[in-house]
């Protein structure tokens, strides 16, 4: 392997790779924020909803979780178009990842809320707090501590899943690197480099997660 | 006698088909200390939990200071009050649980101030001074910055008592508050409860501490199968039980 040649090629491709990385970051950030917000709602529905709502949300999460992300991405792009919802590749991709993320986060939230002993709700209500206050001050802070480690895991999954958007033509990191490779044929080097960038992004997310875990730890 | 502080009329409660309260009637005046005894499954705890609507009930009324708790009857139709109204009514009572149920993510001080700030809407500094007064009262002012996980069971339970009493309730409900404690920690909690009784707090206690019930109560209620089987001053209940069931119950405890 000619290191100097690789570095020269990498320098030539710097903008393409940077743009791809940026796109991956944007897609991941959107999918994680939107998906987590929606997931919180899904989790609330699964935990506290009237049984009809619970049933509907349960069907949603089980259906989404039982479907490969790849299929969700393709479906969002091609099937929604048939239904008259014309999304760009970027929109369709973010939509698919958001939906996927929400079903996972929903389950995490439900699990965390249900793991809190009923005595916590009772003690809070007995003091005179409304359910909304109980949720905000007693249940959610405790659930967040449970949620965080698994949520970080889901967030890194989203970054990895964003590679699938290359199939519908979103030039994210993987596709931008593939385009570079098609010009210089340095497949081994550039794939390795792409892998390294994905690692960096996920390592960053994991560090932030660890930091947050320490910040919210019950006993500092 | 003036209007009772707590009046319970014909209270019925079922869990599915199982009747756990089969028509309970009793009343207590301001300043009364009443203990409820009875074997497990007799409905003692459920009765307590109906008083602050932690359990819904199917028939009958609970009145605190003349105000019907949890339900409203209009034109013969009984409806559950809106959740926000029930929350306000719950603040009239303070409850202490067998398992303490402190909020693990808050310090002792945070546990006590939460209700003061969010329910009583006290300014933060005022809430803190009220909370500190009560933490001092239960002997834990120096532990105000500790989290529940850093406190012993007895200390946690004392914080829980402070949390309930700081809200200045009309009535305190104690649900087997020493049952989950190591034997050597029981007394520190009972001492706090006794202190409140001496101050004239109106209290309703479900307890297995017979000696304590005898010492602290004005009246003792013996429950059996969802009904009040016998009721009277401690001396009468413990020394000369009238019903067969109470005699058996007391006999089983003493052996």
């Amino acid at each position: 392997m000619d290191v100097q040649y690789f570095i020269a090629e990498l320098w030539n491709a710097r903008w393409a790779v940077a743009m791809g990385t940026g796109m991956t970051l944007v897609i991941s950030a959107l999918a994680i924020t939107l998906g987590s917000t929606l997931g919180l709602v899904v989790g609330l529905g699964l935990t506290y909803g009237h049984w009809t709502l619970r049933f509907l949300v349960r069907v949603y999460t089980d259906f989404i979780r039982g479907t490969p992300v790849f299929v969700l991405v393709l479906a969002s792009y091609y099937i929604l178009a048939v239904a008259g919802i014309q999304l760009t590749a970027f929109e369709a991709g973010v939509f698919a990842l958001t939906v996927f993320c929400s079903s996972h986060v929903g389950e995490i939230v439900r699990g965390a809320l249900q793991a809190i002993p009923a005595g916590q709700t009772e003690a809070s209500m007995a003091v005179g707090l409304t359910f909304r206050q109980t949720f905000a001050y007693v249940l959610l802070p405790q659930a967040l501590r449970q949620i965080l480690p698994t949520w970080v895991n889901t967030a890194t999954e989203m970054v990895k899943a964003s590679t699938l958007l290359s199939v519908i033509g979103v030039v994210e990191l993987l596709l931008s690197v593939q385009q570079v490779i098609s010009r210089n044929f340095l497949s081994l080097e550039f794939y390795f480099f792409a892998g390294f960038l994905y690692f960096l992004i996920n390592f960053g997310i994991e560090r932030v997660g660890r930091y947050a875990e320490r910040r919210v730890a019950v006993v500092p | 006698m003036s209007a009772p502080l707590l009046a319970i009329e014909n209270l019925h409660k079922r869990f599915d088909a199982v009747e756990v309260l089969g028509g309970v009637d009793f009343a207590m005046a301001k300043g009364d200390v009443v203990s409820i005894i009875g074997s497990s499954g007799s409905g003692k705890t459920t009765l307590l939990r109906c008083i602050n609507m932690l359990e819904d009930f199917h028939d009958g009324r609970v009145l605190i200071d003349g105000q019907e708790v949890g339900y409203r009857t209009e034109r013969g139709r009984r409806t559950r009050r809106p959740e926000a109204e029930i929350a306000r009514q719950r603040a009239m009572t303070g409850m202490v649980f067998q398992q303490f149920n402190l909020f693990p993510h808050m310090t002792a001080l945070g546990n006590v101030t939460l209700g003061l700030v969010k329910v009583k809407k006290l300014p933060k500094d005022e809430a803190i001074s009220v909370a500190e007064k009560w933490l001092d009262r239960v002997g834990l002012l120096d532990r105000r910055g500790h989290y529940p996980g850093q406190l012993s069971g007895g200390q946690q339970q004392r914080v829980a008592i402070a949390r309930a009493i700081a809200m200045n309730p009309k009535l305190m409900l104690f649900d087997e508050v020493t049952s989950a404690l190591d034997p050597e920690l029981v007394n520190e909690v009972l001492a706090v409860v006794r202190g409140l009784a001496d101050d004239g707090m109106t209290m309703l206690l479900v307890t297995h501490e017979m000696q304590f019930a005898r010492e602290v109560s004005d009246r003792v209620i013996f429950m059996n199968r969802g009904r009040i089987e016998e009721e009277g001053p401690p001396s009468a209940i413990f020394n000369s039980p009238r019903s067969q069931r109470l005699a058996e119950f007391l006999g089983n405890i003493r052996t």
Side-chain angles (χ1 to χ4, degrees), chain A residues 117-131 133 136-142 145 216-220, chain B residues 49 52 54 83-84 87-88 90-91 93-95 97 101-106 114-115 118-119 121 147 150 163 167:
Chain A
Q120 290 290 309
T121 309
E122 293 178 355
S124 174
M125 308 270 254
V127 169
L129 272 76
T130 60
F131 182 74
Q133 290 174 319
Y137 305 120
V138 175
L139 300 179
L140 189 59
Q142 293 187 57
R145 291 173 172 80
V216 300
V218 167
V219 178
Chain B
R49 292 164 59 89
N52 68 351
L54 285 185
E83 208 49 58
R88 273 199 299 281
R90 283 198 185 102
T93 56
M95 191 174 205
F97 299 84
N101 297 341
L102 289 183
F103 308 129
H105 58 299
M106 296 179 189
L114 180 69
K118 301 299 173 192
V119 180
K121 312 281 182 202
Y147 287 84
Q150 300 168 310
R163 174 175 69 182
M167 296 294 290

Side-chain angles (χ1 to χ4, degrees), chain A residues 8 38 52 57 68 88 114 127 149 160 162 173 198 200 214:
Chain A
L38 184 60
T52 44
V57 179
T88 63
Q114 288 184 346
V127 169
K160 290 186 263 178
S162 72
L173 177 54
Y198 279 112
L200 278 188
R214 274 201 308 277

Side-chain angles (χ1 to χ4, degrees), chain A residues 140-159:
Chain A
L140 189 59
Q142 293 187 57
L144 280 180
R145 291 173 172 80
Q146 287 255 339
I147 290 168
L148 215 46
T150 348
W151 181 80
V152 167
N153 198 27
T154 305
T156 59
E157 287 299 327
M158 301 315 297
V159 175

Side-chain angles (χ1 to χ4, degrees), chain B residues 94-115:
Chain B
M95 191 174 205
V96 185
F97 299 84
Q98 185 176 353
Q99 299 293 343
F100 330 139
N101 297 341
L102 289 183
F103 308 129
H105 58 299
M106 296 179 189
T107 60
L109 188 68
N111 267 275
V112 184
T113 50
L114 180 69

